[in-house]
Amino acid sequence: MPGYALPAVPVEVREKIARLASERQAVILSHYYCRPEIHEVAHFVGDSLGLSQEAARSPAKVIIFCGVHFMAETASILCPDKTVVLANSGAGCPMADMIVPEALAARKRELEGVPVLTYVNSPAAVKAISDVCCTSANAVAVMRSLEGRRVLMTPDRNLALHVQGLVPEKEVITWPGFCPTHHRLRLPEILALREAFPGAEILAHPECQPGILGEAQVIASTSGLIRHAAESPGREFIVLTEEGVLHPMRKNSPDKVFHTPATPMICPNMKKNSLGDVVSALETLSPVVKVPEGTRLAALRAVERMMAVPRD
Ligand code: 13P
Ligand code: SF4
């Protein structure tokens, strides 16, 4: 492929993973933020919503999840009969850790009957006491689907403020959570990038702060941004999300130019998943992520409601 070199995956590693996956009747799922070599051995690469949908529809007995803990939990909520293995047991999500069920329960008591919309980037026990979940791909549509004017949206404040801007008829009450990878971007850097590349379209994930989103032409989930970059007649882009999306963007459009901020946008947890972890997960079928049945059944209602709402 001219213009973009694919990451090298040793052929013996690729073959070993394919053989083990077939023996184990396993499907390997990877989030876009994982390393390019993980994309290359995965059966399916997607955003949070796409991965949940793929987990739910896959006939595989085993799911090897290359992503972070809440994603494997969501797969466990949706697929209780499958063995869900998180390739790297240390891959957590700091934003998901910014909310715990006790704190949400206390806020719900204060807000007396206000529905709770929870981003999937949250613990299963928090989903279990939420009314509905969303991902960045359907947050606006899920918000619009709710009855009543006031909604508590947790845990990502930046996503909640973005949704509030698009759904002004609601009063969105926020939670003070954020994604460190996206939240650390600062406006002066983006303004300088825009000045340096005036012809470039700015693509941003809604986990960025409102001032950054105010400069973006396209705000969407990772799959939405990747699709836009492939379909746009534009030739140059400033990409404001985790750098893992650059692999599919460059692979889809080797002749287009993708600029990134000097502040590195790298999720250290997503990057923990290695090819060695995938091999080990397939060999040992561990570490398993299994949501306890009581929590699972309670969380399933909120997750299924989310799955019924199409992408924005
Ligand atoms: P999406 O997968 O919805 O684009 O969200 C990005 C993210 O931060 C996942 O952790
Ligand atoms: Fe969590 Fe942000 Fe990493 Fe996504 S990119 S897993 S929200 S820390």
Side-chain angles (χ1 to χ4, degrees):
M1 186 181 302
Y4 182 60
L6 285 174
V9 179
V11 69
E12 61 279 11
V13 175
R14 197 184 283 273
E15 283 174 3
K16 187 171 186 180
I17 289 173
R19 175 177 56 76
L20 285 168
S22 150
E23 283 169 14
R24 296 297 202 183
Q25 298 184 53
V27 66
I28 303 169
L29 305 183
S30 170
H31 192 273
Y32 283 119
Y33 293 166
C34 288
R35 298 170 185 280
E37 61 270 27
I38 301 286
H39 297 199
E40 291 302 308
V41 298
H43 297 110
F44 181 86
V45 187
D47 65 359
S48 301
L49 187 60
L51 290 168
S52 299
Q53 290 165 334
E54 194 60 27
R57 74 175 151 239
S58 169
K61 291 204 165 114
V62 173
I63 295 173
I64 305 293
F65 220 112
C66 301
V68 292
H69 189 258
F70 76 79
M71 295 179 173
E73 275 194 336
T74 306
S76 169
I77 290 165
L78 286 164
C79 319
D81 299 332
K82 293 173 189 159
T83 302
V84 180
V85 181
L86 180 60
N88 186 297
S89 64
C93 167
M95 181 192 323
D97 294 340
M98 291 175 192
I99 187 164
V100 292
E102 296 76 14
L104 176 56
R107 190 76 179 110
K108 280 176 60 163
R109 280 194 296 276
E110 284 168 10
L111 291 170
E112 288 177 353
V114 169
V116 180
L117 163 51
T118 290
Y119 194 26
V120 279
N121 302 29
S122 55
V126 165
K127 294 180 173 78
I129 56 167
S130 300
D131 294 282
V132 61
C133 289
C134 71
T135 76
S136 68
N138 64 0
V140 172
V142 171
M143 179 61 77
R144 289 199 176 116
S145 76
L146 294 175
E147 281 176 15
R149 201 176 70 81
R150 301 179 85 205
V151 177
L152 171 61
M153 187 164 178
T154 76
D156 187 4
R157 184 162 183 271
N158 291 331
L159 178 67
L161 292 174
H162 169 63
V163 171
Q164 174 72 89
L166 294 175
V167 192
E169 64 275 20
K170 299 282 188 195
E171 182 193 335
V172 180
I173 303 162
T174 62
W175 187 272
F178 60 90
C179 163
T181 302
H182 290 83
H183 193 77
R184 73 167 67 97
L185 267 191
R186 290 290 172 264
L187 189 57
E189 184 176 2
I190 306 315
L191 297 179
L193 266 176
R194 199 184 60 182
E195 207 171 298
F197 307 108
E201 271 188 281
I202 302 184
L203 314 181
H205 195 280
E207 289 172 12
C208 294
Q209 296 195 54
I212 306 279
L213 297 182
E215 299 303 319
Q217 277 87 52
V218 181
I219 301 167
S221 77
T222 45
S223 327
L225 298 179
I226 292 164
R227 195 175 326 109
H228 180 87
E231 291 173 0
S232 167
R235 315 305 304 160
E236 224 179 318
F237 303 87
I238 295 168
V239 181
L240 306 181
T241 189
E242 212 275 353
E243 55 143 53
V245 300
L246 294 169
H247 175 53
M249 284 178 177
R250 290 185 170 134
K251 195 171 161 181
N252 292 339
S253 314
D255 52 335
K256 294 186 181 179
V257 180
F258 300 95
H259 304 287
T260 55
T263 301
M265 295 191 76
I266 296 174
C267 174
N269 284 284
M270 291 283 190
K271 299 307 192 229
K272 284 180 184 167
N273 296 278
S274 69
L275 285 177
D277 291 336
V278 176
V279 171
S280 161
L282 284 163
E283 280 174 342
T284 64
L285 294 190
S286 69
V288 166
V289 172
K290 186 142 184 77
V291 174
E293 191 60 6
T295 308
R296 186 188 81 79
L297 288 173
L300 184 62
R301 286 179 301 114
V303 173
E304 279 186 335
R305 265 185 92 179
M306 166 186 92
M307 303 281 278
V309 180
R311 285 173 182 270
D312 293 333

